[in-house]
Structures are given as C-alpha cells and as structure tokens.
Amino acid sequence: SEMWKRLLENNLEIPYTWETELSAKGNNAKTWEALIDSKKVGYMALLRNLRNILNANPSNVNKVLEYIENPEAVRKSKQLPFRYLSAYKELANIGGSRVFDALENAVEASCENIPKLEGTTVIAVDVSGSMRSPISAKSEIKCYEIAMLLGLIANKICDNSIFYVFNDSIEKYAISHRSGILDTVMRSKCGGGTSMHLPFEKMVSDNVKADRIIVLSDNECNGGWNRPVQVHADEYRRKSGNNLWVHAIDLQGYGTQQFHGARTNVITGWSEKVFAFIKLA
C-alpha cells in the first residue's frame, strides 16, 4: 500500500542503475568514474558500453579493462565469443593496444573449458562471397567472421592444427597457438566462389595425415559440380589411409548439406550452441 501511495504521489525512489545515472548526469567522464567505482555495472553492460566509456575517457578506465579480461569474470558472465568480436569491431578506430589486449585475453578465457582435440586437426574456413551475409538481420557480424572466429578457437584447443581458408582457391595460414583470435578475424577478407573440394585435394597433395577436419561454411557450392563433396572426403580417406572424421558446421542452413555417411558430424544452421563445439571425436 505504501508503494502504491508513493506511485500515486509521484514519489517513487529512482533506482541506482547505470542507465538512470547516465540519463540524469550525462555520458561523461565524471559519471562513468562514479559508476565504475560503484561496481554496480554488470559485465555485459561494461562490454557493450566500452565505446561510450572510452569516448568519455574516465580516469579509472583501466579498472574496466582489468575486469573484462579477468578469467573468473569472463567465466561468470558466460558471454559468447562473438560478443568480444563485436566490441573489437566497434573500437577498431578509437581503441589502443591495451583495449585490444583485454578483448583478446577475454575471448581466450571464454573458451578455456572447451574439450581439447588430440592429434592433428585440419580447419577449413569458407571465405567465399556468399559468406559476406550477416548472421542475422540485426547483426553486423558476417558469416565469414563467425567462421574464422570458430576456426581460430578450434586452433587454440588442438594439439596440432593445419589452417586453410578457401573460396575458389585455397591458402594455408601460418597460425600458432599464440596467434590473436580477434586480430586475425579482423584482417580476414572474403570473396569469390565456393570450391569445397579444395581442402581435401590440398590435404592429399600436401600429404597431410589428419585425424579430423572441421569445415566451416554456408555450403553454397559452385554450380555445375556433378560430384558431392562427400566423394572428395572419401577419396582422401582412401589415398591417405586415414579414416578421418569430418565435422561440417553449416553456418546458414540453406538446405545445401554436402556431407553425410559414416564418421561425419553435421551441425546445420547458425546457432549459439555451435560455440560449444561439442566433444569432437
């Protein structure tokens, strides 16, 4: 009854939140300094407001960066890795190395609990023109960026990995376990057709002995092929003597699945569960 009385008299107390503080006091250094010191701004709110915070230039901005990269805070926040990529892209023109280091440290901490992959893993990322489409109508993140992000996370959890990017040609990336995830995604480009047979032919020509291959694509293959890509996987198995697993992650779900049969694992359609990567054999 007391609450309704205050409501009718327009005397409700305004809660202390970062939204109400910014609205009342303005998006400036003094307001952000007080909010940061209050420790009442959540992890996601700080991550999504990094641009505003850096533009306001509060004196205690390092507290924000230390919190964002703190492994325990990352684990508790349960952010998906693409959130860090979104922040990285937003800050590309205004951030310094300290900011980008914090985001790189955070995205690496976010995938610490993913099961490790033993042996040799080939990672094949489709960077063809069709992968330029956004992952949703409300997002600026492109499919090829998600594919690169997932591939680079996979690289971090592999004993040994071989990293290919392909469109209508194929290139081997010299990537170590220490290579920056977000920086590498930002430097990647896309265009051209989708020749999905190329990774398998490249493995044969390079005499790669792989335990598994992870293919990240929208499966928009070049027209005119009269052989399904599965045939090329089977040819690799026959020529190499390796009965490798094929893990095909279809990032759009157009209904153009290219893999089937034994020792093949297909995840169709982009979804947040893809980031769990499941326990790949």
Side-chain angles (χ1 to χ4, degrees), residues 8 14 24 41 51 53 56 63 65 75 77 98 109 132 135 147 171 177 181 217 222 226-227 247 265-266 280:
L8 292 171
I14 298 175
V41 185
R51 185 182 184 90
I53 294 170
K63 290 183 179 179
L65 301 179
R75 281 191 288 272
S77 73
R98 178 67 186 92
R132 193 179 286 113
I135 61 174
E171 180 182 359
H177 287 137
I181 293 175
S217 173
N222 292 342
N226 57 10
R227 304 175 73 200
H247 301 284
N265 173 36
V266 178
L280 299 180

Side-chain angles (χ1 to χ4, degrees), residues 134-262:
I135 61 174
S136 73
K138 297 181 179 180
S139 178
E140 295 184 2
I141 301 293
K142 308 295 192 297
C143 279
Y144 80 93
E145 292 173 322
I146 289 292
M148 286 293 296
L149 181 65
L150 287 169
L152 291 161
I153 290 171
N155 168 67
K156 293 286 185 181
I157 65 172
C158 292
D159 281 345
N160 181 47
S161 72
I162 297 169
F163 200 101
Y164 295 134
V165 295
F166 69 95
N167 40 36
D168 43 23
S169 62
I170 189 165
E171 180 182 359
K172 182 179 182 292
Y173 273 26
I175 290 178
S176 78
H177 287 137
R178 298 179 182 178
S179 297
I181 293 175
L182 301 177
D183 175 65
T184 306
V185 174
M186 290 292 291
R187 294 176 186 274
S188 62
K189 298 178 181 179
C190 75
T194 312
S195 299
M196 289 189 67
H197 62 289
L198 289 178
F200 299 95
E201 292 181 351
K202 182 70 169 169
M203 284 193 292
V204 171
S205 65
D206 289 353
N207 195 30
V208 172
K209 302 294 185 182
D211 297 291
R212 68 189 65 80
I213 180 172
I214 300 172
V215 182
L216 297 129
S217 173
D218 62 358
N219 289 334
E220 285 266 290
C221 290
N222 292 342
W225 294 103
N226 57 10
R227 304 175 73 200
V229 179
Q230 182 67 41
V231 172
H232 297 283
D234 292 337
E235 281 187 357
Y236 169 81
R237 291 184 177 113
R238 185 175 64 256
K239 291 178 179 179
S240 68
N242 281 9
N243 192 19
L244 89 167
W245 269 93
V246 176
H247 301 284
I249 300 176
D250 181 350
L251 294 175
Q252 282 288 20
Y254 293 133
T256 51
Q257 181 175 311
Q258 299 296 322
F259 302 96
H260 59 84

Side-chain angles (χ1 to χ4, degrees), residues 14-31:
I14 298 175
Y16 182 92
T17 66
W18 65 268
E19 294 98 335
T20 58
E21 288 297 290
L22 287 178
S23 177
K25 300 177 181 179
N27 185 19
N28 53 59
K30 185 176 180 180
T31 303

Side-chain angles (χ1 to χ4, degrees), residues 52-76:
N52 287 334
I53 294 170
L54 292 179
N55 282 332
N57 195 27
S59 60
N60 53 359
V61 68
N62 275 334
K63 290 183 179 179
V64 175
L65 301 179
E66 288 168 1
Y67 183 54
I68 282 175
E69 69 183 355
N70 181 279
E72 186 61 28
V74 171
R75 281 191 288 272
K76 288 182 178 179

Side-chain angles (χ1 to χ4, degrees), residues 50-121:
L50 260 182
R51 185 182 184 90
N52 287 334
I53 294 170
L54 292 179
N55 282 332
N57 195 27
S59 60
N60 53 359
V61 68
N62 275 334
K63 290 183 179 179
V64 175
L65 301 179
E66 288 168 1
Y67 183 54
I68 282 175
E69 69 183 355
N70 181 279
E72 186 61 28
V74 171
R75 281 191 288 272
K76 288 182 178 179
S77 73
K78 299 180 180 179
Q79 301 299 306
L80 291 169
F82 81 90
R83 299 291 186 191
Y84 300 106
L85 178 60
S86 295
Y88 202 102
K89 291 183 71 172
E90 278 286 315
L91 302 174
N93 294 324
I94 65 171
S97 60
R98 178 67 186 92
V99 175
F100 301 131
D101 282 346
L103 292 171
E104 288 281 10
N105 292 337
V107 75
E108 290 202 19
S110 74
C111 37
E112 282 182 357
N113 292 328
I114 300 175
K116 305 303 179 186
L117 296 178
E118 298 177 353
T120 295
T121 302

